Amino acid sequence: MKLPKDVKVIKGNRENVRARMDREDVVYQRKAGKNLHIRFIYPQQDNVDRKYPLVMHIQGSAWFEQNLNDHLLDFKEIVTAGYIVAIVEYLPVPYGIFPSQVEDAKTAMRYLMKNVDDYPIDPENLFVMGDSSGGHAALMCWATWNTNKLDTTTQPLPQIRAFVDLYGVVDLATLSEDNPSENYESIGTPEAQLLGGYTPEQHPEAAEKASVLHYITESTQTEPLLVLHGTKDSLVPFNQSVRLFVHSQKMNQKVTFYAVEDADHGKSIFYNEQTMQVMIDFLDKHKTSNYNWF
């Protein structure tokens, strides 16, 4: 095609990947009278029909009602690197007390695998990720995925290649020690709501069962875990992830830990280019080797 004089030309990139969303979310279960949703972000390439690895992300919200849009733009680079991101909603407190969130995440993954032919998902390359309270649920999944613990059924779960924890709560019993300026003794706190209206001090047994360290021993079978946490996190103390990393090293678990300097609880300093590349490199490292998309 001959172009008119002075028309400027931009060369199209046949390997470019864009991110797209469906118009409506998927309801994966109805629980306590509430529909729980999955919001998908897909990679899209012109004239390409293929299956993509899946990152199932458990949304953070202090265990309350979740905003599934919170990280849509933060995760765009993961999608354009060739991954489907499925953001999972769980039943919020005070209705969903522990371990409801963990059960919901496992139910969501079973739903996705049951209906995998409806999506461009490669079931051989599955990842689980979560941030904040969703990071807490992701950690609980990491510690119990290969067991029947914290689950509603003994139906086998699919193999997960690796897990990602973004500034998740690790140990409810030590939150007050790690952040003395915060009041964790009120039954109105998110932690108390998670435990059914009891503070960790009031119900230490429940707090222990809701803490990932309780489940990690030398014999625990886990997949590789990536942990990222801002050093100036004002909501979930940075030392929570330090506790997880130190304990996991003692128990010979495969954990990689990155401290994000000067970053608060998520936000722009945390979700920077280097942080996102660390996450993508970790996913790429652990997916099956027969992928060479670009």
Side-chain angles (χ1 to χ4, degrees):
M1 177 180 176
K2 185 175 181 180
L3 299 174
K5 183 180 179 182
D6 296 330
V7 170
K8 296 177 175 29
V9 176
I10 297 173
K11 186 176 181 180
N13 181 358
R14 294 182 178 274
E15 297 183 352
N16 185 54
V17 183
R18 64 188 284 266
R20 71 170 184 85
M21 291 179 57
D22 286 338
R23 184 171 296 181
E24 295 182 356
D25 297 335
V26 171
V27 176
Y28 73 91
Q29 74 168 327
R30 185 168 177 81
K31 185 175 181 181
K34 178 177 174 59
N35 288 337
L36 299 179
H37 301 85
I38 301 174
R39 184 162 298 171
F40 289 95
I41 322 172
Y42 299 100
Q44 188 270 319
Q45 295 171 272
D46 293 346
N47 304 315
V48 171
D49 182 17
R50 61 172 52 136
K51 301 286 188 179
Y52 293 94
L54 170 75
V55 179
M56 188 183 80
H57 179 75
I58 310 168
Q59 179 63 49
S61 62
W63 297 288
F64 291 102
E65 195 80 29
Q66 298 113 67
N67 173 11
L68 299 187
N69 289 328
D70 195 26
H71 292 302
L72 284 180
L73 299 181
D74 292 323
F75 296 155
K76 178 180 179 292
E77 286 80 4
I78 295 177
V79 177
T80 56
Y83 293 85
I84 297 172
V85 173
I87 302 176
V88 171
E89 179 184 22
Y90 49 80
L91 187 68
V93 296
Y95 312 104
I97 64 173
F98 181 83
S100 177
Q101 302 77 15
V102 188
E103 295 168 351
D104 290 347
K106 293 176 180 179
T107 298
M109 182 59 80
R110 287 191 176 101
Y111 173 90
L112 291 171
M113 292 302 96
K114 181 179 179 181
N115 299 279
V116 70
D117 292 340
D118 296 336
Y119 306 100
I121 294 171
D122 174 14
E124 300 299 318
N125 280 281
L126 306 174
F127 299 85
V128 174
M129 180 169 70
D131 72 293
S132 192
S133 60
H136 172 262
L139 286 172
M140 289 296 180
C141 286
W142 169 67
T144 64
W145 199 265
N146 299 311
T147 74
N148 292 325
K149 299 175 182 178
L150 309 184
D151 209 343
T152 59
T153 176
T154 57
Q155 178 185 350
L157 287 160
Q159 179 183 359
I160 303 300
R161 293 288 173 185
F163 291 77
V164 179
D165 161 41
L166 307 176
Y167 43 89
V169 176
V170 171
D171 183 8
L172 273 66
T174 59
L175 280 170
S176 57
E177 180 181 341
D178 290 342
N179 189 8
S181 63
E182 188 70 24
N183 177 21
Y184 293 98
E185 302 310 315
S186 167
I187 62 172
T189 64
E191 295 75 23
Q193 293 294 300
L194 180 68
L195 300 181
Y198 298 93
T199 68
E201 185 178 61
Q202 290 172 332
H203 203 331
E205 291 183 2
E208 183 181 32
K209 290 180 180 178
S211 299
V212 67
L213 303 184
H214 174 69
Y215 301 89
I216 296 300
T217 68
E218 288 189 16
S219 62
T220 307
Q221 295 182 0
T222 65
E223 307 306 327
L225 172 68
L226 172 65
V227 178
L228 298 103
H229 206 138
T231 59
K232 294 185 178 180
D233 195 315
S234 59
L235 292 180
V236 177
F238 175 74
N239 199 51
Q240 287 278 291
S241 289
V242 173
R243 291 180 186 275
L244 171 65
F245 184 61
V246 171
H247 180 77
S248 297
Q249 282 189 313
K250 290 179 180 178
M251 297 298 119
N252 296 316
Q253 301 295 331
K254 303 177 289 293
V255 178
T256 303
F257 180 27
Y258 281 85
V260 185
E261 287 187 338
D262 296 325
D264 198 344
H265 195 67
K267 302 184 180 180
S268 62
I269 297 177
F270 182 91
Y271 286 104
N272 62 61
E273 182 178 354
Q274 186 177 358
T275 299
M276 298 312 300
Q277 192 59 54
V278 165
M279 295 165 63
I280 292 167
D281 289 346
F282 178 80
L283 297 170
D284 287 347
K285 177 181 177 181
H286 293 290
K287 67 185 178 183
T288 54
S289 59
N290 61 332
Y291 279 88
N292 186 17
W293 299 129
F294 315 117

